[in-house]
Amino acid sequence: MTVDIVMVLQGLRLLAAGLLVAACGYAIQHRNEHVAAAFIWTVVSLTAWGWLTMLPNFFGPSFVTGFSQTVVSLGAAAAGGCAVVFWFVYIRRYTGHRQYATTRRVLVMLSPVGVDLAIRVLMVTPLTSQVAPVSGVLAVVYTTLYLYLAALFVLGIYLLFRLAQRYRQVPTMQVAVLGVVIAAPVLAVLVSTLTRPVEDGTTVSMLPVDISSLGFLLSALAFVYAIRTYSLFTTFPEAEYVARDEVLEDLTEALFILDPSNQIVDMNAAATDLCQQPAKDTIGQPIDAVFNDLSHIPTDGVQRTTLQTPTGPRQFEISASALQDGDNAQLGTTLLARDITAKTTREQQLAVLTRVLRHNLRNDIDTALAHTNEITDPDVRTTIRSKLHSLAELGTKARDIDEVVSKAHEPREDVDIVSIVQSVTEQLASEYDCEIEVRAPEELRIVSHRWLLSRLLTELIQNGITHTEQPTPRINVDVECANRHDGPVTIKIADNGPGIPAHEQTAMHDETETPLEHGSGVGLWLANWITESLGGKLAFDQREPTGTTVTVTLWPNSTSS
């Protein structure tokens, strides 16, 4: 072996030792983050193992002799075993199995390494301070330990690979890198210790050089690459287990998990209560045997049905989701039953109230208006007519609200905002004596709802026209888009009216409607609801010296010019 090869190997050992120390320092800096403790112990054990293994190569065989050689050998063996165990503990916690990686269980997993170390210490002869030859029984002990550590490694790789199959954030390459962290030094040390017999009855190394330093170098490089590339302390892998143990059990909606033949294989506490019998008596039964009304499982959308509950029959909304494996094979179905009895009752109440406002109230108002001509006092007649017209307008708003609610769930389409603005402003300019100025690009297309957007603009512009005290209402409409490809679109409507009262803005901002903060402008509430249904935001600003600027901000699915 030439001097050049010796220098190269020595340089590689120094590089490996330095990178391991650097990785150790990085891990300690992140000690307060998720699963950091297990990661730190892995790096520390691996660093100690690498340094103790490469120590004779750094300073020469004569530097480590006698008892010191025994201590170094025992320390390296213990550190190597601990590195594999702590690596497995880190993988368990990283993949969400924290309940299986408690301190007590970690100590149990470390116990085989402790037993091995104790046996090695007992084998040290007092005269030579050297480890005695390995007997047949001790060979079995050593082999068992190595198989145990190999099993931990294989299981850890399996957990990582399964995690990569479930989470896009964990690439398969990360599994390989974290595997190299442990596999490289283990294989390098193992190969470096292999010997072959010679003619005089002794043994010699099968390799001309010790390649253990190369294994630790690969391990250190893998650590550095993983640290710089992947999220090693992330919490997302635990979502699956937290969801099952905490979220699903605390879910107020009943959740059933069915196999491909629609038999119940699992259920949460709410589902157990809904079945009115213990889970052990329900699991394994077909869902239609438990609920006759669920003989047909919805495959698309939701299904409303009535189910018998401990408090009597109630309305439920049933939705189903397919369970698939990584190969898109059907594993079963999750069935979510949401109690919508109160929601259904509320919908019926609103429907009745809307009909009353739209029909009965309007008819009574028309009758009352017809009789106002019999009032002789002109002031009283004018006052009563004004109040009746206000009530009639309220009924019209109720009809508009009903129409907005019915259209809010309709699919969106590609529309040109500018053409809608121009259409609305031209219509209002022909109906009212006003001045409307529009500043907008030639075309601005977004994915939205044409009717709702037109109704929103009509409500806001009409509100500025009818509530002004100026002789000539003046409205300025500005349509802008900061990023013509995917940025938010803003529509600013400025008027010269008296401004919107502060208490009405407060009522809308807090989403409250109380007797003390009474939003008299039902149209503003209507505009706010339309904006929310379009996924937008409504804002009000006072103008100087008078007037209001209403800003509608929309975040469309896509925009283009």
Side-chain angles (χ1 to χ4, degrees):
M1 182 167 48
T2 65
V3 177
D4 291 338
I5 296 179
V6 173
M7 295 299 295
V8 169
L9 289 175
Q10 194 74 339
L12 293 178
R13 295 183 189 109
L14 290 173
L15 178 61
L19 289 177
L20 287 173
V21 172
C24 187
Y26 172 85
I28 293 175
Q29 288 179 356
H30 293 75
R31 59 186 175 276
N32 295 325
E33 297 187 31
H34 182 63
V35 304
F39 186 84
I40 291 172
W41 281 110
T42 302
V43 182
V44 169
S45 300
L46 194 61
T47 302
W49 182 24
W51 273 81
L52 291 172
T53 301
M54 294 185 292
L55 195 61
N57 295 320
F58 279 132
F59 304 101
S62 60
F63 180 80
V64 183
T65 58
F67 183 75
S68 60
Q69 181 182 4
T70 302
V71 172
V72 170
S73 175
L74 293 175
C82 289
V84 177
V85 172
F86 284 127
W87 176 87
F88 177 73
V89 172
Y90 165 73
I91 298 302
R92 293 285 281 184
R93 292 183 176 178
Y94 184 72
T95 55
H97 300 76
R98 296 187 68 180
Q99 68 273 32
Y100 300 112
T102 61
T103 302
R104 182 178 178 181
R105 287 184 171 134
V106 171
L107 293 176
V108 172
M109 285 189 286
L110 285 171
S111 59
V113 180
V115 171
D116 173 74
L117 180 62
I119 293 175
R120 288 176 183 264
V121 171
L122 292 175
M123 289 173 57
V124 176
T125 62
L127 296 178
T128 63
S129 297
Q130 298 293 320
V131 177
V134 179
S135 65
V137 175
L138 295 179
V140 173
V141 174
Y142 289 165
T143 303
T144 303
L145 175 64
Y146 296 148
L147 292 176
Y148 166 71
L149 296 177
L152 293 183
F153 175 77
V154 172
L155 181 56
I157 292 296
Y158 166 74
L159 293 175
L160 279 175
F161 183 76
R162 189 176 67 170
L163 187 71
Q165 295 293 103
R166 296 181 178 181
Y167 294 92
R168 256 184 278 175
Q169 301 95 319
V170 182
T172 305
M173 182 54 120
Q174 183 177 351
V175 178
V177 171
L178 292 178
V180 169
V181 164
I182 289 297
V186 169
L187 293 177
V189 171
L190 179 62
V191 171
S192 295
T193 57
L194 293 178
T195 60
R196 60 182 177 82
V198 292
E199 294 180 355
D200 59 359
T202 60
T203 60
V204 296
S205 177
M206 294 186 65
L207 296 178
V209 293
D210 185 353
I211 66 169
S212 59
S213 56
L214 295 178
F216 288 104
L217 177 60
L218 286 176
S219 177
L221 291 174
F223 259 127
V224 172
Y225 180 81
I227 288 170
R228 293 177 59 87
T229 308
Y230 307 117
S231 298
L232 301 180
F233 305 113
T234 183
T235 59
F236 73 85
E238 283 194 321
E240 173 186 355
Y241 306 98
V242 172
R244 180 65 186 89
D245 296 336
E246 297 182 18
V247 177
L248 294 186
E249 286 303 322
D250 294 338
L251 194 66
T252 56
E253 288 83 6
L255 180 68
F256 298 90
I257 300 178
L258 312 179
D259 64 11
S261 60
N262 290 335
Q263 289 187 337
I264 301 173
V265 297
D266 200 2
M267 57 200 296
N268 66 351
T272 303
D273 295 338
L274 184 61
C275 294
Q276 305 182 59
Q277 58 183 346
K280 62 182 180 63
D281 297 334
T282 306
I283 292 177
Q285 296 188 44
I287 187 67
D288 55 359
V290 180
F291 298 105
N292 295 329
D293 295 314
L294 288 182
S295 57
H296 173 68
I297 305 299
T299 57
D300 186 21
V302 296
Q303 167 188 320
R304 290 192 175 187
T305 187
T306 301
L307 299 178
Q308 187 66 33
T309 72
T311 58
R314 296 185 68 84
Q315 290 287 322
F316 282 86
E317 190 175 73
I318 310 298
S319 58
S321 300
L323 285 175
Q324 297 177 332
D325 60 12
D327 298 325
N328 295 326
Q330 186 77 16
L331 299 179
T333 307
T334 59
L335 210 62
L336 186 67
R338 181 180 292 109
D339 190 337
I340 58 169
T341 305
K343 176 184 175 182
T344 304
T345 303
R346 182 62 175 167
E347 289 176 349
Q348 295 172 346
Q349 293 171 343
L350 288 175
V352 172
L353 179 60
T354 300
R355 286 196 299 271
V356 169
L357 289 174
R358 290 178 57 183
H359 301 290
N360 303 55
L361 180 61
R362 182 69 192 189
N363 293 337
D364 292 343
I365 289 174
D366 289 340
T367 302
L369 282 172
H371 287 83
T372 56
N373 291 327
E374 300 176 6
I375 300 175
T376 58
D377 189 322
D379 294 334
V380 174
R381 183 170 61 247
T382 300
T383 300
I384 292 177
R385 283 183 174 178
S386 176
K387 295 297 183 182
L388 290 174
H389 281 300
S390 296
L391 288 174
E393 183 181 357
L394 181 62
T396 302
K397 293 298 182 186
R399 180 194 62 197
D400 293 341
I401 292 173
D402 182 47
E403 194 169 12
V404 166
V405 171
S406 64
K407 291 181 177 295
H409 302 289
E410 293 181 356
R412 302 321 193 227
E413 60 180 343
D414 185 74
V415 299
D416 179 16
I417 278 191
V418 178
S419 67
I420 296 176
V421 169
Q422 291 174 344
S423 175
V424 170
T425 54
E426 289 173 2
Q427 177 66 30
L428 293 176
S430 65
E431 295 179 6
Y432 297 94
D433 182 16
C434 63
E435 297 178 3
I436 303 178
E437 180 183 355
V438 177
R439 290 189 293 268
E442 293 184 1
E443 186 181 58
L444 182 58
R445 308 196 69 85
I446 71 169
V447 176
S448 189
H449 191 290
R450 185 181 300 275
W451 186 91
L452 288 176
L453 193 53
S454 177
R455 189 68 188 84
L456 170 64
L457 295 173
T458 300
E459 191 64 47
L460 293 175
I461 297 174
Q462 192 176 51
N463 183 78
I465 294 173
T466 58
H467 289 85
T468 184
E469 298 175 354
Q470 303 296 327
T472 302
R474 186 175 293 105
I475 306 294
N476 295 321
V477 182
D478 294 302
V479 182
E480 300 174 349
C481 183
N483 188 328
R484 299 293 292 276
H485 297 285
D486 57 3
V489 176
T490 58
I491 306 173
K492 295 184 178 181
I493 302 171
D495 61 48
N496 61 346
I500 299 175
H503 67 274
E504 290 194 7
Q505 294 189 41
T506 301
M508 291 186 61
H509 181 269
D510 297 338
E511 298 184 350
T512 58
E513 182 72 6
T514 67
L516 296 179
E517 292 183 320
H518 175 72
S520 58
V522 179
L524 293 180
W525 281 102
L526 182 62
N528 189 52
W529 292 333
I530 295 176
T531 306
E532 288 183 351
S533 70
L534 293 176
K537 180 181 178 182
L538 202 61
F540 301 90
D541 294 299
Q542 296 299 120
R543 301 181 66 194
E544 295 296 339
T546 182
T548 303
T549 299
V550 182
T551 302
V552 179
T553 304
L554 300 175
W555 286 271
N557 294 333
S558 63
T559 62
S560 60
S561 58

